[in-house]
Structures are given as C-alpha cells and as structure tokens.
Amino acid sequence: RMTRVNRFNSPVPDHEYLADGDVLFYLRDAVTQLLDHQQEYTTFGLIRYFAEYFSSVKNSNHVLFREYNYIRATPHNRASFIRVFWRCYRQIGKSGDLLSTLEYRSLLQLLCPDFPLEMVQRAARIVQMEDVVDCLMSFSDFLYALQLHFYYPEFLNSMLLIYQDLLAGKSPNTVIVPTSTSIDLLRSVAAENISKEKQQQQQDGVDPSTLAQCIDALCDRFKHSHPPRSCMREVLGQTNKVYYYSFLMSLAKHESINQTIGALPSRAEFLIDPEMDQDLDKLIAQISVSPSSNSSGSAVGGLKEVHRRASPRRNIHHRRKIEVESDGSTEETDSSEN
C-alpha cells in the first residue's frame, strides 16, 4: 500500500517525491494548456494562471472535459474523474433510476467526449457477472464497478489472463505473469479471449489459493498499482472456488479498497453530498425570488452569476463544469420521465 509522503520532513529524495506526486506531468500539462490558450491566460498573468491550474488539480476539477488519455494518465486523475462523475450524477442514485450500459456511456461522454465503450462494458460485466446484455444497473453498483476497473485496469487485465490460464488447467509454475512492458498488448489479447470467457463462465472456477499465489507475484510486478493484497486475500479466503467476475464484484464492494482509492464515499453515505446540496439550495432560493424564475435559462444564468461573484476569474474547464452541473440536472429529470 502506498504511503503518502510529507513534503516538509520527508527523507525521500526530491526526484522521487516529484515522481510520486506526478508533479512534472502536471507542470508539462499546465505549460501545454498555457501555450494553447496563451492569449486568454496571459491577460490575467502567469502566476494567477498556474495558481488556478494547480488549485483545480487539488480540487479534482481539472479532469472535466479533458481527453481520455489525460484522465487516465495518473492515479489522482483517475480518482478525480470517478468523484466528478459521482457528484454530477448523484441524483440518478437518489431517484433510484436504472440505466443501461449505453446510457451510462452517454453520461460519461458528457464529461469525457472520447470515453471508450470498452471500459463501460467491462464495468457492466462486473455488475452482471455474465455476458454483457443490455441489462439495467443501479447507479451505485455501476459506479463502484467502474471505479475498480478504471483505477486498476492494467492489473485486472493481467489478472484475467492468469485466471484464463488456470482455468485452462495450466500449472501455477507455467502460468506467465505479464510484465509491465506487455501491458499495451493486453487489450488485444483480452478481445481475442471474449469468446473463451463465455464458455469459461459455465465451467468450474479456479482454486483460490492457487490464484492467490499468482496474484501475489503479479502485485510484485505492479508495485502500488493494484488493490491492497490483504483485501484480495480476504475475498479469496471466503470461497472454495473463484469465478473471475464474482471476485471482481467482491473487490468493487470492498470498503477498504474504496477507502484506498479515496474517490467515493462509503455505500452508507453514497447519496450524501452536503456541499452539492448547499449549492442546489442556494440555486433554488435564487430562482424562487427571481422575477423570471419560470425559465430554465434564468436558472443557468443565476448559477453562473453566483459563481461569478465568488470569483471574477475561472479557467475554461471550471466554466464548462458549471454548465454541466446546472444543465445536467434538467437532463436527468427528462430522462427519468421517459
């Protein structure tokens, strides 16, 4: 498990600290964004631009409307995107609506236009523990499954290959543990094995102690980029046979793994977001006293005005976030009525 480094009294060398926090990655992106929008940003000064950029990184707003390669580039970006998705669409969970795989993908693409269907389908398989048919899923079940596969995709793809080898009857000594250099090949290999998965779902699972042995070796290869070993051992110790997707569903529901990622609240508090509720209460109060409150445009304009008074300058991604949060609630209501 990764131990967070204290930047004030850390014995870790500077270059290791910078790498641990992906600081150089964010510096490069900040400079790239500055060059792409220099006419706008230089008007307000470089110091203010960099302050707002890193403030958005700290507050997890920096992933909004960014490309898929960016939102998956660092562990912080992955956790931030999951949290933003939860905050934007939490009302779906509160209303109890059930959505299909394609509907969830549409919601994800409102925040990340090129979010791949494959990632959504893999999360759906975890929930359904069977072939992806267009079954309806609750918001909480889907999001916890998405969190697991979005945060640990390389590790889980490698574990699937190991599971398939064990299911085919290979000895643990002959199972090849994928290396970090082979990660780019895993997607194509996994795609070729989809038909095999359909047959294997009907077969017996694998021995949990054998899988645990292989997973332990896999964790050594991935260092910190895997669910806590203790959590995986705990789940494996509760069954006599392991089935891949049921194993992943147990991991997705595991509270310690959820706390390790740090993006979502516990299931007991999944529908609670006091900060967002306060913003909505302020918006409703403003609409109620507005003479033109019967138009949806005034609601959007009102929310923008509240944020504009709070801060005279927001970056591009922040402004677009406001529009999604205000307009998105109306879209959800419409979809639930259909």
Side-chain angles (χ1 to χ4, degrees):
R1 181 174 176 177
M2 185 190 305
T3 301
R4 293 193 178 277
V5 179
N6 187 316
R7 62 192 175 93
F8 295 109
N9 57 9
S10 171
V12 178
D14 292 345
H15 68 279
E16 291 186 17
Y17 172 77
L18 292 176
D20 180 68
D22 296 301
V23 176
L24 297 181
F25 168 83
Y26 291 113
L27 277 174
R28 285 193 294 268
D29 183 68
V31 173
T32 300
Q33 294 295 309
L34 177 62
L35 294 177
D36 290 344
H37 306 280
Q38 56 182 324
Q39 184 174 2
E40 176 183 359
Y41 289 137
T42 54
T43 304
F44 297 90
L46 294 179
I47 295 179
R48 187 169 188 177
Y49 163 74
F50 280 105
E52 287 198 357
Y53 177 89
F54 283 99
S55 177
S56 69
V57 171
K58 178 184 177 182
N59 296 329
S60 299
N61 298 327
H62 63 300
V63 294
L64 272 169
F65 312 109
R66 294 298 301 270
E67 63 279 6
Y68 182 70
N69 284 338
Y70 179 81
I71 68 171
R72 66 185 292 269
T74 70
H76 177 65
N77 283 10
R78 297 179 185 189
S80 297
F81 184 78
I82 291 297
R83 182 165 183 81
V84 165
F85 183 78
W86 167 69
R87 295 200 70 191
C88 286
Y89 301 118
R90 180 176 56 103
Q91 294 298 323
I92 295 176
K94 294 187 72 172
S95 64
D97 290 339
L98 303 178
L99 301 182
S100 68
T101 301
L102 294 179
E103 287 173 323
Y104 279 118
R105 191 214 186 183
S106 296
L107 294 178
L108 286 162
Q109 287 188 321
L110 290 176
L111 306 180
C112 174
D114 61 338
F115 198 93
L117 176 61
E118 178 188 4
M119 179 62 67
V120 186
Q121 290 174 331
R122 289 184 177 275
R125 286 195 185 100
I126 296 176
V127 175
Q128 297 161 3
M129 293 186 287
E130 58 184 11
D131 300 336
V132 171
V133 292
D134 206 15
C135 293
L136 302 181
M137 297 168 284
S138 71
F139 183 66
S140 60
D141 284 347
F142 173 78
L143 188 50
Y144 281 111
L146 178 67
Q147 173 182 245
L148 180 72
H149 219 300
F150 183 66
Y151 197 80
Y152 301 115
E154 300 86 357
F155 178 82
L156 296 184
N157 288 339
S158 297
M159 188 173 68
L160 174 58
L161 298 181
I162 292 175
Y163 176 84
Q164 290 171 339
D165 283 346
L166 293 176
L167 203 57
K170 291 186 179 181
S171 166
N173 296 327
T174 62
V175 170
I176 299 176
V177 177
T179 63
S180 58
T181 57
S182 65
I183 296 306
D184 293 337
L185 302 176
L186 291 176
R187 284 190 177 182
S188 59
V189 173
E192 294 174 359
N193 289 330
I194 288 179
S195 61
K196 296 181 181 179
E197 290 179 35
K198 295 179 180 179
Q199 298 175 356
Q200 291 165 353
Q201 289 297 321
Q202 306 300 325
Q203 301 176 4
D204 291 337
V206 303
D207 177 66
S209 60
T210 304
L211 182 60
Q213 176 185 344
C214 295
I215 286 178
D216 201 49
L218 186 62
C219 290
D220 292 337
R221 298 288 181 90
F222 278 85
K223 296 183 179 180
H224 304 301
S225 303
H226 58 77
R229 301 188 194 210
S230 59
C231 298
M232 291 189 284
R233 292 194 190 105
E234 177 187 336
V235 173
L236 291 174
Q238 297 173 349
T239 181
N240 295 325
K241 286 291 184 180
V242 180
Y243 300 89
Y244 181 72
Y245 286 113
S246 60
F247 177 51
L248 293 192
M249 191 59 188
S250 297
L251 295 181
K253 293 180 177 180
H254 203 292
E255 186 55 37
S256 294
I257 294 178
N258 184 51
Q259 292 176 358
T260 298
I261 297 174
L264 297 176
S266 65
R267 282 185 171 265
E269 300 178 345
F270 186 76
L271 302 179
I272 303 174
D273 186 359
E275 182 180 351
M276 181 66 75
D277 289 338
Q278 289 178 3
D279 289 341
L280 290 175
D281 289 342
K282 291 179 182 178
L283 175 60
I284 293 173
Q286 185 174 8
I287 293 174
S288 64
V289 299
S290 172
S292 58
S293 60
N294 57 348
S295 67
S296 59
S298 65
V300 176
L303 182 58
K304 290 180 179 178
E305 184 61 32
V306 170
H307 284 269
R308 191 177 297 118
R309 286 199 298 268
S311 175
R313 168 68 181 153
R314 296 292 187 207
N315 61 39
I316 291 176
H317 302 314
H318 183 85
R319 292 201 304 272
R320 293 178 68 182
K321 175 194 173 191
I322 296 173
E323 294 171 0
V324 164
E325 290 183 347
S326 57
D327 295 340
S329 60
T330 304
E331 293 174 359
E332 291 166 16
T333 303
D334 294 339
S335 61
S336 63
E337 292 175 354
N338 292 335

